[in-house]
Amino acid sequence: MTSSQPANYSTFAYAYHGQVIAAGAVFPAVAIIIVGLRFWTRLRRKSGLGADDWLIVPALLGIIGMGACLITGRSRSLLNGSQLNTSPGAEKHVMGYPTPPVPESSPQDQATVLPPGQATLELIEWVFLRLMILAYGFLKLSVIFFYRRIFVTRAWSTFDIVTKVSAVIVVLWTIGFFLVNIFGCGRHFDYGWGPLVEEEHCVDGLVELEALMISDFITDLLVLILPFPIIWRLNMTTTRKLAVTGILLLGASSLGASLARMVLQIQLSIYGYTTKTDIFLTIITILYWSMIEAGLAIIASCLPTLQALFVKGSLQSMVASIRSMVSLQSMRSHSSHGSKKSRQGQPPYSEIHGIDTGAEDTVALKEVDENSYIRKPESTHLESNAKYESNDSMV
């Protein structure tokens, strides 16, 4: 860090070397432990591994790669002895350090040669962003399939359709932005970390990153709130609804990091790289918040499963209860729908039972007849307990 603070137009403070190294080392290490515990918990409870568990593995690999990028900040012979490299062959730090002073040069050199360290930083950013897109995509899919594991009890139910559509959107988002980032400069991949004269042949990087950050925040928010409507329609106490909502809201922590990174990127798009901007620190601060988002997201996505290690009953019992309630509600809805269809073309209730009501047949009378076939409360309670016990092993 220099004695004078570098210019900073943004809302958030710059991330410096120590913070960058800490984020790049700590979050991947914690993610490895958390994901390992997730698999161990599944196997210990004999609940079986699902799609949500397997999808977290490539997300973890992406996060490990992102961390490696952050702690790789040293390069030798950055500009191969060009006139802008004041010390050829010397080691330069680029991750979490201010932009080094640029020697006087001609306009042609400024367009064709990068300042010391910038090529290395932009190469690291190029690799980081591709890993980030893949990690985010697999994380979102893992969360969606976790929701399906809990709440989907009948094919082609509303939530089944909503989560399938959400998964398709996430897949298209991941593939689309990955390909745009890979082929943004056509087949000249090295243009992505080249001088200005080469970047002119690429798509506008600031616009592309702004679209990526905004759409990432929106899809994160949509994935986060997916289960809330179905939770609050269930026949549970308000306390239990709040408890389940609170557990699933753990992902909101990563949403905060996503929001911070999005604000940084929008401000960069507005102001650009001006005299009020330190190029190195601005780039690394955006990568720093991206690392925080990925780390918090993978931890939050695993914590509901890991609660079984610390709290007796925890989410596993809640999940079994929720699945029973969702299944029962779905069966009732399906039965009610079928009952309405079966009424079409039938004679009025009064004609079947020989009752002169003095009015047309009503749904209320129909319900009286149908309720006579409903099980006694004791049998319903026993059936619910049986479902509770059988479903407890599923999560």
Side-chain angles (χ1 to χ4, degrees):
M1 189 183 300
T2 60
S3 56
S4 61
Q5 289 291 331
N8 184 7
Y9 65 85
S10 67
T11 305
F12 301 91
Y14 286 135
Y16 285 93
H17 181 68
Q19 297 165 279
V20 173
I21 296 300
V26 171
F27 280 114
V30 173
I32 292 172
I33 295 171
I34 290 291
V35 172
L37 286 174
R38 175 180 182 146
F39 275 76
W40 182 76
T41 303
R42 295 287 197 206
L43 297 175
R44 180 170 173 259
R45 295 183 63 84
K46 298 179 180 179
S47 56
L49 298 174
D52 56 316
D53 301 309
W54 293 115
L55 286 167
I56 211 75
V57 175
L60 173 63
L61 296 177
I63 290 173
I64 293 172
M66 291 166 63
C69 288
L70 290 187
I71 61 179
T72 305
R74 200 182 290 263
S75 63
R76 289 184 174 89
S77 300
L78 294 175
L79 299 176
N80 300 317
S82 71
Q83 65 183 70
L84 288 184
N85 189 359
T86 57
S87 53
E91 291 188 345
K92 298 287 183 180
H93 294 286
V94 297
M95 304 301 284
Y97 291 93
T99 305
V102 179
E104 291 293 332
S105 59
S106 66
Q108 181 180 0
D109 284 338
Q110 292 177 9
T112 57
V113 182
L114 288 175
Q118 188 169 338
T120 299
L121 178 60
E122 291 189 2
L123 172 59
I124 292 172
E125 180 191 22
W126 191 90
V127 176
F128 183 97
L129 290 176
R130 278 75 191 162
L131 293 171
M132 181 194 77
I133 292 170
L134 293 177
Y136 285 3
F138 282 110
L139 276 170
K140 297 177 204 289
L141 288 174
S142 176
V143 173
I144 290 172
F145 277 89
F146 176 71
Y147 292 159
R148 290 181 56 80
R149 186 173 189 149
I150 299 176
F151 299 107
V152 175
T153 58
R154 181 169 59 85
W156 302 111
S157 62
T158 301
F159 195 73
D160 178 43
I161 296 172
V162 168
T163 49
K164 284 178 178 176
V165 171
S166 300
V168 170
I169 292 173
V170 170
V171 169
L172 293 177
W173 178 89
T174 306
I175 295 175
F177 276 105
F178 183 78
L179 292 179
V180 168
N181 274 265
I182 288 288
F183 299 106
C185 301
R187 290 178 294 177
H188 301 285
F189 302 126
D190 57 324
Y191 284 9
W193 57 90
L196 292 176
V197 69
E198 293 179 350
E199 290 186 357
E200 289 178 355
H201 298 86
C202 306
V203 298
D204 190 326
L206 291 180
V207 173
E208 174 194 339
L209 286 176
E210 185 178 1
L212 172 63
M213 307 310 180
I214 293 175
S215 59
D216 173 60
F217 176 78
I218 293 173
T219 51
D220 280 349
L221 181 61
L222 292 177
V223 170
L224 180 67
I225 65 176
L226 268 179
F228 296 155
I230 193 172
I231 290 173
W232 286 88
R233 285 201 305 267
L234 292 175
N235 187 25
M236 296 192 299
T237 63
T238 302
T239 302
R240 175 161 284 195
K241 289 177 182 178
L242 289 172
V244 176
T245 302
I247 292 172
L248 297 180
L249 271 177
L250 291 171
S253 57
S254 65
L255 197 64
S258 176
L259 177 62
R261 192 262 319 274
M262 181 182 69
V263 170
L264 279 169
Q265 187 61 51
I266 292 175
Q267 290 177 335
L268 179 59
S269 298
I270 294 173
Y271 297 106
Y273 291 110
T274 65
T275 54
K276 296 182 179 180
T277 306
D278 186 292
I279 297 176
F280 280 31
L281 289 176
T282 299
I283 292 175
I284 194 56
T285 300
I286 291 175
L287 302 189
Y288 170 75
W289 281 104
S290 299
M291 184 77 248
I292 292 177
E293 178 188 354
L296 292 177
I298 196 168
I299 292 170
S301 66
C302 293
L303 283 181
T305 302
L306 299 187
Q307 272 206 326
L309 298 177
F310 309 105
V311 182
K312 186 176 181 181
S314 67
L315 184 67
Q316 317 304 333
S317 300
M318 282 191 181
V319 165
S321 178
I322 290 171
R323 284 185 61 87
S324 294
M325 291 178 183
V326 172
S327 179
L328 185 59
Q329 189 166 303
S330 177
M331 289 170 59
R332 284 173 176 170
S333 176
H334 184 68
S335 174
S336 175
H337 182 67
S339 176
K340 289 178 181 178
K341 284 186 176 181
S342 66
R343 290 173 190 156
Q344 296 178 3
Q346 287 187 357
Y349 182 91
S350 55
E351 291 184 13
I352 297 175
H353 297 272
I355 299 175
D356 183 11
T357 61
E360 292 185 1
D361 188 23
T362 63
V363 175
L365 288 173
K366 203 78 169 157
E367 293 297 333
V368 172
D369 186 55
E370 288 175 357
N371 286 338
S372 63
Y373 295 100
I374 295 178
R375 296 185 187 90
K376 294 180 180 179
E378 293 83 0
S379 61
T380 303
H381 178 70
L382 292 174
E383 181 181 296
S384 177
N385 284 342
K387 287 183 179 178
Y388 178 93
E389 293 172 359
S390 63
N391 282 307
D392 185 50
S393 64
M394 295 180 64
V395 180

